[in-house]
Amino acid sequence: MRPRRFLPSISLLNAFEAVARTGSTATAARELGLSQSTVSRLIQNLEGQIGCTLFHRQRQRLVVTEPARAYARDIARALDLIQRASLQVSTNPGGGVLSLAILPALGTRWLAPRLGSFLGANPGITVNLATRLRRFNFENESFDAAIHFGKNDWLDAGHLKLFDETVTACATPAFIEQHAIRNVADLAHVQLLQLETRRQAWHAWFEAHEHRAGRTSGMLFDQFATMTQSAIAGLGVALLPDYLADLEIEDGRLLPLFKRGIATGGAYWLVWPLSRSDYPPLEAFRTWLAAQCA
């Protein structure tokens, strides 16, 4: 049994979170559609219930105490989780919802075209997708799983390896001709497009071609999509994962340079919090994804 004293009502928590976030009972009242006096009374009731002062009262203002700042962050996450759970059961009462964090390029160009087969085989499951460029703490985000690039080193998480990343250097036919790129050494004189999360990729590529490269320079991007479009626009040579490079090469927008499929040393993984390991929608997705990558 959970002590009711430490389970305040949603109305009390909503009022507290709004005042702590906005710093004003008047603003919180407008946001919640209540009177200012009602919000003030809800705050007083919450403080009385949990036996803790949450705000310092300075004239007409409420200033959140330092311990209450952490409490406000936790309450905001809890309210978001309750809202999400209510939305899930409301929109899909007969199945389950899988909330998945994805990498933008992999999600758009590799996962999305395949996802129809999963949904067709699991008609009761709804998949919600959101992009995340870097790893995060599952305790602070409402995701059931994430697709991640790197190694199997997430703490307190399960891992399923999808595939190793291999890359190909690509440029437009016009760019290659304009800069007279005939051998690997010629790349020292052109702009090499780089991704923020793959700072050593070009060095690994040159080593695979048995060429000692100096300092690589070029435009820096945070996503493969913008880097790909920049290469198509003729701004430089892009080092693209093969699931992206193959599409652009097949359509004739880019041409491969020298060896294809160079390993970067990283891989793509499905990761999930251990507490969600037995969640049926995640189990179904994990099984399907393993088959897709076999």
Side-chain angles (χ1 to χ4, degrees):
M1 292 291 293
R2 298 182 178 91
R4 293 189 61 184
R5 174 187 170 187
F6 298 111
L7 285 177
S9 68
I10 294 295
S11 60
L12 297 183
L13 297 177
N14 260 332
F16 165 66
E17 189 277 333
V19 174
R21 174 167 43 81
T22 63
S24 165
T25 55
T27 303
R30 288 193 297 270
E31 182 179 296
L32 298 173
L34 302 172
S35 67
Q36 187 173 356
S37 60
T38 298
V39 171
S40 297
R41 186 176 68 254
L42 290 171
I43 296 298
Q44 291 173 358
N45 290 345
L46 177 60
E47 291 179 322
Q49 181 172 338
I50 64 176
C52 178
T53 300
L54 300 174
F55 296 92
H56 296 303
R57 287 154 178 81
Q58 298 178 355
R59 297 182 180 179
Q60 302 300 316
R61 298 178 61 243
L62 294 181
V63 179
V64 65
T65 65
E66 195 58 37
R69 292 183 188 279
Y71 184 48
R73 288 193 295 269
D74 290 340
I75 292 303
R77 285 197 293 268
L79 291 173
D80 288 342
L81 184 61
I82 293 171
Q83 183 182 37
R84 172 174 166 259
S86 300
L87 178 63
Q88 288 178 358
V89 74
S90 174
T91 57
N92 193 10
V97 176
L98 179 69
S99 294
L100 183 66
I102 58 172
L103 297 168
L106 187 77
T108 302
R109 305 299 292 273
W110 187 87
L111 179 62
R114 294 169 167 80
L115 201 53
S117 68
F118 172 74
L119 297 175
N122 300 272
I125 296 177
T126 297
V127 178
N128 295 332
L129 303 176
T131 59
R132 291 293 185 275
L133 294 175
R134 293 175 175 81
R135 70 173 61 198
F136 54 86
N137 189 335
F138 278 114
E139 291 185 358
N140 298 331
E141 298 268 12
S142 300
F143 289 112
D144 301 306
I147 293 181
H148 152 75
F149 172 80
K151 302 181 184 297
N152 57 335
D153 57 356
W154 280 41
L155 295 176
D156 301 320
H159 295 76
L160 171 67
K161 186 176 182 179
L162 306 183
F163 52 86
D164 292 311
E165 183 179 75
T166 58
V167 297
T168 295
C170 300
T172 63
F175 186 92
I176 295 171
E177 187 63 32
Q178 177 186 352
H179 293 84
I181 300 175
R182 302 292 181 262
N183 55 60
V184 173
D186 293 333
L187 294 184
H189 309 295
V190 300
Q191 184 157 231
L192 303 179
L193 309 184
Q194 304 179 68
L195 199 70
E196 286 183 352
T197 55
R198 310 286 199 282
R199 294 296 185 96
Q200 299 302 313
W202 273 112
H203 293 286
W205 186 89
F206 280 113
E207 286 181 5
H209 287 80
E210 299 180 348
H211 179 80
R212 183 170 182 149
R215 183 176 181 180
T216 58
S217 61
M219 299 173 65
L220 194 63
F221 300 86
D222 67 345
Q223 295 190 36
F224 278 122
T226 48
M227 187 168 76
T228 302
Q229 291 304 312
S230 296
I232 292 172
L235 300 184
V237 181
L239 204 55
L240 299 178
D242 285 325
Y243 66 84
L244 292 177
D246 291 345
L247 297 172
E248 304 303 338
I249 293 168
E250 182 179 343
D251 289 341
R253 289 187 287 266
L254 296 174
L255 289 179
L257 289 168
F258 314 111
K259 293 180 186 178
R260 297 182 62 174
I262 303 300
T264 64
Y268 293 95
W269 301 81
L270 178 72
V271 296
W272 61 90
L274 295 177
S275 60
R276 302 293 281 170
S277 295
D278 299 330
Y279 181 48
L282 175 57
E283 287 186 315
F285 183 73
R286 199 163 54 220
T287 301
W288 170 83
L289 199 56
Q292 291 291 309
C293 298

